[in-house]
Amino acid sequence: MKYVTEFRDSDLARRLIERIHEAARKPVRLMEFCGGHTVTIFRYGIRKVLPPGIEMVSGPGCPVCVTANADLDRAIALARLPKVILTTFGDMFKVPGSCGSLQEAHAQGADVRMVYSPLDALRIARENPDRMVIFLGIGFETTAPTVAASILEAEKSGLENYFVQSMHKVCPPALKALADSGEVRLNGLICPGHVSAITGSQAWVPFARDYGLSCVVSGFEPLDVLQTVLMLVRQVEEGRSEVEIAYRRGVTFEGNAHARRILDEVFEPCDADWRGFGVIPGSGLKPGKRFERFDAAEVFDVDAGPVVEPVGCQCGAVLRGVVSPAECPLFRTVCTPETPVGPCMVSSEGSCSTWYQYGGGLEV
Amino acid sequence: MKSDGMVLMAHGSGGKMARDLVEKVLVKALSNPMLELLDDSATVQFSGRLAFTTDSYVVRPIFFPGGDIGRLAVCGTVNDLAMVGAKPLYISLAFILEEGLPLAELEQVVRSIRQAADEAGVHIVTGDTKVVNRGAADRLFVNTAGVGMVPEGVHVSGSNARPGDAVILSGTIGDHGIAVLSRREGLSFDTELVSDVAPLAGMVAQMLEACPAIRAMRDPTRGGLASTLNEIAERSRVCIRLQERAIPVRDAVRGACEMLGFDPLYVANEGKLVAIVPAADSDRVVAVMRAHPYGRDAAIVGEVAEGPAGRVLLSTAVGATRVVDMLTGDLLPRIC
Ligand code: SF4
């Protein structure tokens, strides 16, 4: 992990910032799609060192945040089933659904366990043959391959008590919905680094070609993001809209064909419900025919009750980049990480919690 | 002892098995003249200003790289005493044991309690043991309380920080939190990291000798450095300005934090302290700390300023300044 420190080098940062100031003439609006980038931008105060003409907008790239309430409710209902162990990434634990959260279900006796990887969920399934172990599959192209691999492994080892509730989503259709809506006019896009490692930077070509968006794939270190902003500003200044990579140590044009093969083998595209967007065709992933018996959506029939959206929460508009968290009247007053109203205040990569944690809107 | 090597409900009954457990496992390992009397209360000689503290320990797993719940329970209380400048003297020890806990594990915990107490120069003088049904506790819980003596002329308090003071950190942050997490069920990952859990009273005594005017000290345990400094800034009505580049973080902690979506500023430590000292004394204090095994990486990481009062600010690696807030909620590993 040596490189992590190198990429935080301050002198390099200073030089990049100078070059951005030199290059920027026109006003530009850039969106960072991915919540990981939002965290880097706020944690290092990057917005504050950019010229005033560069406006940064946070996008929908937080898998927890875009999970629709109906899906959350289903997850909570699954957790409450007898003999079920629901395994999930930690991020999901506290997200409020229509009525309660996994954390509350856990407090009331549901067996909800935090895992770091679906492989841990597999192990729990092996160790508890008399229980049904459901893994909550949340995440983008980055996480989905490991979940697919866990299903293949369950098939291979004949595991009969392992299931996946797939709420996986893929990014390009959401970006297309965003671009088609025309709600926010963007000049450039900071493309997600980890997602692109799987899809390849090729995934963003249509946005450069058909929508005139300058696209640069970025890593998650502050220097990566500064380098990306510089490349985007140069594209905009020179009237180019191309796909470039500022994260060569992680991403290629082609991406990870092996991971995509596993994805294609196990999952098939389906429609998915995105908070703030509604149902986006072909933007979800569910286990294909051969794997139906591992698909919790097929196996378990639960009644999750009526869907209730949190009153006053602007998460949807925040996710579309239309309002910033500080513009939500509940931000910092009613809605805090301790008493979150919407999921954007819960997930560590949610825009609202990132703004909150790193003092967005506070005097320095 | 006969009991198939595990804790049974009868061990908490007050009968013969309970006495055996206390005498053969606990008192034997922790022996000192005050404890061996086994009276209802320990009586000790004492004069001067008393510091008194208590804390409960519920870490999971109970054994982790670099330590265990026993060492933690002694160091935690010793350090709480040291943070007001006290010399720790006597500690009480109370166990809540889950039925079925292997006695070998209890013995191992008690051994490391003894070791940590010896190292810190404190005596375990009184204690208690209860057994609860399986599932009513997670293996074993420990409570320790401790008393210490505050030397004449020492006034260390979180409300004493003044503008112009230096902020000193005794070493790398986040080691304990990440080491424990790396062994937690379902989350395990490989790392060479070990917890920093250590008794700091010895180093603190030397620091106070070098600079009796130390204003404030805290050990940044849960909530990490960020939360600790926020408390000091708030209570002293001052602003604390940190330099991100000056804060020592191990590569392994940085890497794990990247993976888990954590900020090392919020990760727990069990063998580190921050001290707020008058700027003129800061180099001397750092030198004393660096000469001590638990302060080898000590560094000045920031300074105390007038305002905005109650706020902690950080100059980041890209030269921007941002607010460092308290930890809110738990640290939960993210989806990557
Ligand atoms: S601040 Fe809270 S209520 Fe407002 S949009 Fe964010 S999560 Fe929703």
Side-chain angles (χ1 to χ4, degrees), chain A residues 312-315 318 325 328 330-331 335 341-345 352:
Chain A
C313 174
Q314 316 249 345
C315 273
V318 168
C328 170
L330 305 186
F331 181 73
C335 183
V341 177
C344 300
M345 190 55 97
C352 300

Side-chain angles (χ1 to χ4, degrees), chain B residues 9 97-101 132-139 141:
Chain B
M9 289 307 290
L97 308 175
E98 185 188 18
E99 177 191 16
L101 177 80
V132 296
N133 286 316
R134 199 175 249 279
D138 191 359
R139 307 180 82 80
F141 298 154

Side-chain angles (χ1 to χ4, degrees), chain A residues 44-89:
Chain A
Y44 293 94
I46 287 176
R47 282 191 181 193
K48 296 176 192 163
V49 296
L50 296 179
I54 300 182
E55 189 190 339
M56 305 284 289
V57 185
S58 302
C62 159
V64 173
C65 306
V66 294
T67 302
N69 260 18
D71 288 338
L72 286 169
D73 294 347
R74 183 174 164 82
I76 296 165
L78 286 173
R80 292 186 191 277
L81 288 177
K83 299 195 81 172
V84 159
I85 301 175
L86 189 91
T87 53
T88 175
F89 293 127

Side-chain angles (χ1 to χ4, degrees), chain B residues 42-274:
Chain B
T43 54
V44 297
Q45 291 297 335
F46 202 87
S47 75
R49 198 150 63 97
L50 180 83
F52 180 26
T53 186
T54 182
D55 210 341
S56 300
Y57 299 84
V58 294
V59 66
R60 186 165 52 99
I62 59 175
F63 299 100
F64 47 80
D68 59 35
I69 192 169
R71 183 168 172 81
L72 196 63
V74 173
C75 295
T77 290
V78 163
N79 292 347
D80 283 348
L81 292 170
M83 292 310 117
V84 296
K87 175 180 163 40
L89 296 171
Y90 306 115
I91 286 197
S92 74
L93 172 69
F95 282 114
I96 293 178
L97 308 175
E98 185 188 18
E99 177 191 16
L101 177 80
L103 278 176
E105 292 191 8
L106 178 62
E107 280 162 356
Q108 194 178 334
V109 168
V110 174
R111 265 198 305 277
S112 73
I113 287 176
R114 174 70 199 233
Q115 226 169 38
D118 285 351
E119 185 188 343
V122 294
H123 293 300
I124 313 283
V125 291
T126 184
D128 179 52
T129 306
K130 293 281 180 319
V131 180
V132 296
N133 286 316
R134 199 175 249 279
D138 191 359
R139 307 180 82 80
L140 96 88
F141 298 154
V142 187
N143 173 279
T144 51
V147 295
M149 211 251 308
V150 186
E152 204 78 33
V154 168
H155 292 278
V156 185
S157 156
S159 30
N160 288 351
R162 296 185 207 158
D165 289 349
V167 180
I168 301 173
L169 176 66
S170 70
T172 54
I173 54 169
D175 300 9
H176 175 76
I178 298 296
V180 170
L181 204 61
S182 75
R183 289 295 176 277
R184 188 153 300 169
E185 188 206 357
L187 292 174
S188 42
F189 53 88
D190 278 335
T191 173
E192 75 277 21
L193 268 178
V194 294
S195 165
D196 56 0
V197 54
L200 299 175
M203 182 168 73
V204 168
Q206 292 176 9
M207 290 164 65
L208 280 167
E209 215 163 275
C211 171
I214 291 179
R215 309 239 211 251
M217 273 187 288
R218 279 288 165 94
D219 54 338
T221 53
R222 263 178 319 164
L225 183 64
S227 305
T228 298
L229 289 176
N230 265 285
E231 279 163 25
I232 296 178
E234 220 164 82
R235 299 208 16 230
S236 298
R237 304 305 304 152
V238 292
C239 169
I240 293 179
R241 294 182 168 271
L242 296 174
Q243 289 295 330
E244 177 161 56
R245 293 188 68 184
I247 300 172
V249 184
R250 285 184 206 284
D251 283 346
V253 170
R254 231 191 259 288
C257 281
E258 300 263 305
M259 178 172 88
L260 298 162
F262 293 169
D263 183 335
L265 286 172
Y266 295 93
V267 181
N269 311 278
E270 290 293 344
K272 298 289 154 40
L273 64 82
V274 269

